[in-house]
Amino acid sequence: MTITLDRALSDLRAHIEEGRAEGMADYHKVPRDYLGVPNPAITDLAKTWREGMSVAERVALASALWDTNIFEARLAAAKLLTQARIKDDAPIWDLITSWVPQFDSWAIADHVMMAGQKRLVAHPERIEEVEEWTKSDHHWTRRAAMVITLPYTKQNHPKPEEMAIRQRVLGWAATYVRDPEWFIQKSVAWWIRDLSKHDPERAQYFLTNYAKDMKPFARKEAAKFLGPKPAGKAKFTPTPAQTGTASADKDGE
């Protein structure tokens, strides 16, 4: 069954909680309409809508929901596209990437990047397009490059292609540490913190070399799951080429 935009908006409004919209608007501080629908309800609705829908139908509905600029509608648009296995997913990837320059809210951006993570893992060659985001003047686009690559922090025994992406993103992070923007600093801290759970030596090596350039809150967050810094020579000492930081250092000069 095809779900129209009017039907989707009606479904969302049926889950409005009185008084919630005002609090959301005050919290997110981005001028747009907020309905006051809790996140679990949006998740359940998106799951129901996408059952039986073709990729083309999902893309059309997601695009229409996004264009309303309603907070919950944009979250629902992202959730419609969040699925691990999708055959012929190019239209979904294209829609997701078309939204990136429009990001103005961490909550919306993170929901979209959760959908994007699955499409990147399905087609790792898309990392080439993501790398272009790191050169953007739009800080939300630069941040998106870190968030969409978070799956590459999570392997305890990464495959060579996974390690290559991990090292590439660490190179991006090495240039980001000098960025004064709070959300960029936060994205580096988030990436290194998650990496430290699965590759603590590499995370510690990064902090040993770059923590001095990070904001204090970001340093603290990045090191949250690391033990005390070991005395003496670091156990893990890759070359700049191995970490991807050789080019990063050059770009940051």
Side-chain angles (χ1 to χ4, degrees):
M1 176 181 177
T2 301
I3 305 297
T4 65
L5 175 61
D6 287 344
R7 162 69 186 280
L9 293 176
S10 178
D11 286 351
L12 284 169
R13 291 190 173 102
H15 290 80
I16 289 174
E17 293 184 357
E18 186 176 355
R20 187 181 182 90
E22 293 79 7
M24 292 172 65
D26 184 62
Y27 176 74
H28 291 288
K29 295 180 173 60
V30 179
R32 60 167 41 92
D33 288 337
Y34 297 84
L35 300 179
V37 180
N39 192 54
I42 303 171
T43 299
D44 290 344
L45 284 172
K47 182 178 179 180
T48 300
W49 295 338
R50 70 177 181 236
E51 290 178 358
M53 293 180 71
S54 67
V55 167
E57 290 169 335
R58 287 168 61 182
V59 166
L61 179 57
S63 181
L65 284 164
W66 181 270
D67 288 344
T68 67
N69 199 27
I70 297 170
F71 179 79
E72 290 88 344
R74 287 197 162 186
L75 296 193
K79 290 174 185 292
L80 267 174
L81 306 183
T82 306
Q83 185 177 333
R85 296 182 181 179
I86 302 176
K87 187 177 181 180
D88 301 325
D89 70 347
I92 289 180
W93 176 253
D94 290 344
L95 184 58
I96 288 170
T97 57
S98 75
W99 290 342
V100 172
Q102 302 175 53
F103 288 167
D104 58 6
S105 159
W106 66 264
I108 292 174
D110 288 357
H111 277 84
V112 175
M113 288 299 92
M114 286 177 66
Q117 287 170 7
K118 296 185 184 302
R119 307 280 52 83
L120 177 60
V121 170
H123 292 278
E125 68 275 9
R126 288 170 171 158
I127 195 68
E128 302 296 336
E129 183 173 353
V130 173
E131 185 161 33
E132 292 303 307
W133 301 355
T134 67
K135 305 168 188 176
S136 174
D137 293 334
H138 181 232
H139 77 263
W140 291 108
T141 297
R142 298 198 305 278
R143 177 183 181 274
M146 300 301 292
V147 180
I148 201 172
T149 53
L150 280 168
Y152 294 94
T153 66
K154 301 184 186 304
Q155 300 88 2
N156 290 322
H157 304 287
K159 299 174 183 177
E161 58 270 25
E162 293 168 338
M163 180 58 76
I165 292 177
R166 179 178 291 182
Q167 294 177 175
R168 182 186 290 207
V169 179
L170 285 169
W172 305 346
T175 67
Y176 280 15
V177 294
R178 300 183 184 94
D179 194 311
E181 171 58 50
W182 190 92
F183 281 105
I184 295 296
Q185 290 280 323
K186 180 69 174 179
S187 73
V188 174
W190 186 1
W191 218 92
I192 301 302
R193 182 198 66 195
D194 282 9
L195 179 65
S196 73
K197 299 175 186 177
H198 305 277
D199 193 347
E201 293 175 354
R202 198 175 300 270
Q204 184 62 69
Y205 178 83
F206 182 89
L207 290 175
T208 297
N209 286 275
Y210 297 103
K212 66 183 183 298
D213 294 317
M214 298 169 71
K215 299 292 185 184
F217 84 88
R219 283 199 301 270
K220 182 178 179 180
E221 179 68 14
K224 182 176 181 178
F225 299 116
L226 291 171
K229 184 178 177 182
K233 187 176 180 180
K235 182 179 179 182
F236 178 76
T237 53
T239 66
Q242 288 175 316
T243 62
T245 56
S247 60
D249 287 340
K250 182 178 180 181
D251 291 342
E253 291 176 353

